[in-house]
Amino acid sequence: MRKDNCDYESARGAMKVLKIIGFVILGAAACFLFGLVIMWLWNWLMPMIFNLPALNYWQSVGVLALASILFGRFGGHSSSSEKKKKHTPIRDSIKEEIKKEFEKEYGKHGDNQANEGYDEMYEKWWEKEGESLFEEYMAAKKQ
């Protein structure tokens, strides 16, 4: 009975090894293909548009690597913490102040007409107080 279990384990292990080898081959093929695509696009567009020299295959792979370093991986997803917008205290206080005024005038759950009024209120507020708050913020930044 032990021998059957070992056969199962070895078959399962062999499948894992084959999957890993397959992914490595697939990844190498994708890199090769991306290099060719970059080379083809560069040589088709850049010499004609910007009068730049044509690239060979390895130079195009270098351009691909450089783009990957500068702009992130192709098809990759950044973490959710990177996607979060950074809010400044002034921006948060402005938003809260406008929200309070809006709720005071239209109630907590305004209708569509009230939502359109929110944009108008923001514009009025910015004309009235926004510039001075921005100047205070910039003065604080300089210190």
Side-chain angles (χ1 to χ4, degrees):
M1 184 131 182
R2 178 118 167 108
K3 187 169 172 74
D4 291 336
N5 193 16
C6 289
D7 289 340
Y8 174 72
E9 288 295 323
S10 65
R12 200 166 143 195
M15 286 301 293
K16 283 184 182 180
V17 170
L18 287 174
K19 282 183 181 181
I20 290 171
I21 291 171
F23 282 124
V24 168
I25 292 171
L26 185 64
C31 287
F32 179 76
L33 183 65
F34 282 143
L36 284 177
V37 169
I38 296 294
M39 183 179 72
W40 178 71
L41 285 171
W42 181 283
N43 292 340
W44 177 48
L45 294 171
M46 295 304 191
M48 184 174 43
I49 297 172
F50 300 110
N51 201 24
L52 294 172
L55 298 180
N56 65 29
Y57 174 74
W58 292 110
Q59 289 171 328
S60 66
V61 170
V63 168
L64 179 65
L66 181 64
S68 179
I69 290 168
L70 293 176
F71 304 115
R73 293 187 201 141
F74 295 108
H77 300 285
S78 61
S79 67
S80 61
S81 63
E82 291 175 356
K83 290 182 180 178
K84 291 181 182 176
K85 292 181 180 176
K86 293 182 180 179
H87 293 283
T88 62
I90 290 177
R91 179 179 170 162
D92 291 340
S93 66
I94 290 170
K95 191 173 182 177
E96 286 300 315
E97 184 177 336
I98 292 171
K99 188 175 178 181
K100 286 177 187 175
E101 285 183 38
F102 184 76
E103 288 176 355
K104 189 188 317 177
E105 189 167 334
Y106 295 106
K108 279 198 172 204
H109 306 288
D111 56 5
N112 287 338
Q113 186 178 15
N115 289 333
E116 290 172 7
Y118 179 84
D119 292 333
E120 291 173 21
M121 284 183 66
Y122 178 79
E123 291 300 322
K124 287 179 187 175
W125 179 88
W126 181 253
E127 290 172 6
K128 183 178 173 185
E129 298 180 29
E131 287 188 48
S132 63
L133 283 176
F134 180 72
E135 289 171 8
E136 288 176 22
Y137 172 74
M138 290 305 290
K141 278 283 233 191
K142 288 181 182 178
Q143 297 174 354

